[in-house]
Amino acid sequence: MSTDAVRLFIAVPVPPAVRAELQRARRRFEGGGVPRLRWVRAEAVHLTLKFLGEIPSARIGVVERELEEVCAESRRHALRLSGCGVFGGRRPRVLWAGLDGAVADTATLAGAIDARLAARGFPSERRDFRPHLTLARVSDGATADDRDRLAGLIRRAGALPPLVLPVEQVQLIRSDLQPGGARYTTLRAFPLGVAP
């Protein structure tokens, strides 16, 4: 990363009760004997709305101004934990906790952020927004048996308790890559302005 650039993303924070439940889910998966999972630290779990990547420091103000406007016009709402799943099909790459509830409102918020920033020259998202909380990444060295065990654990895990994840603010977060994993620093929080 160049000295005048920062790596940023935009996310919804996760409340402590949800983080605690995700830690319980992690212990169940770890007890199930699935090796080669790189777990996300509990304090680092978040609901990503947009990944900006590395941008010049001078552009942070542009991002902040757009987030102020989008968030002021956006409706507060709530999501709930649901089941676990994977991205990657038969060769899973990411283990996640699903979210349901006011998913359409969250997708609208993510889409508005993406559109406003795209109009200011930031790359647009190429994939549809799928709200989830990343729990772990599957290592490249995972065997077919590892992947089968993971699939079996997901089937047996069933639904997570429907704990509420309120979507009442959006955070602009700096990501510093370090040998022990990325470290996140919230640069600024933007409250959503429209009551439910």
Side-chain angles (χ1 to χ4, degrees):
M1 185 183 303
S2 65
T3 55
D4 70 336
V6 288
R7 190 170 188 259
L8 300 175
F9 63 91
I10 298 162
V12 174
V14 175
V18 173
R19 289 182 195 278
E21 183 55 41
L22 296 178
Q23 283 298 101
R24 285 189 283 278
R26 173 181 174 166
R27 287 192 291 276
R28 289 193 300 272
F29 278 100
E30 287 176 327
V34 179
R36 298 181 181 91
L37 291 176
R38 295 186 321 270
W39 292 95
V40 175
R41 294 182 329 276
E43 67 275 9
V45 173
H46 55 269
L47 169 57
T48 302
L49 298 176
K50 181 166 181 64
F51 180 72
L52 293 169
E54 194 174 307
I55 70 164
S57 298
R59 301 268 293 158
I60 292 174
V62 172
V63 174
E64 289 178 331
R65 283 189 295 279
E66 296 302 329
L67 287 175
E68 281 174 359
E69 290 185 24
V70 170
C71 291
E73 300 164 357
S74 296
R75 187 170 89 85
R76 294 190 298 268
H77 58 279
L79 300 170
R80 290 182 310 272
L81 277 182
S82 58
C84 293
V86 293
F87 291 135
R90 295 187 54 77
R91 294 198 48 83
R93 299 177 321 277
V94 173
L95 170 64
W96 48 258
L99 296 164
D100 61 18
V103 171
D105 288 333
T106 310
T108 297
L109 174 61
I113 290 169
D114 187 54
R116 292 289 285 269
L117 291 176
R120 299 302 298 261
F122 292 92
S124 233
E125 293 295 329
R126 291 184 224 152
R127 291 180 275 189
D128 290 337
F129 178 71
R130 295 177 63 186
H132 66 279
L133 305 173
T134 298
L135 301 179
R137 289 178 175 78
V138 181
S139 299
D140 292 338
T143 65
D145 284 346
D146 294 335
R147 295 173 197 279
D148 287 344
R149 274 197 299 279
L150 177 58
L153 281 171
I154 291 169
R155 280 193 302 275
R156 290 191 298 279
L160 295 169
L163 297 177
V164 173
L165 192 162
V167 182
E168 297 174 345
Q169 69 168 267
V170 166
Q171 295 180 344
L172 179 61
I173 300 173
R174 177 179 178 149
S175 173
D176 293 302
L177 300 178
Q178 299 178 352
R183 296 286 173 210
Y184 301 143
T185 305
T186 299
L187 299 182
R188 191 165 161 200
F190 303 85
L192 302 191
V194 181

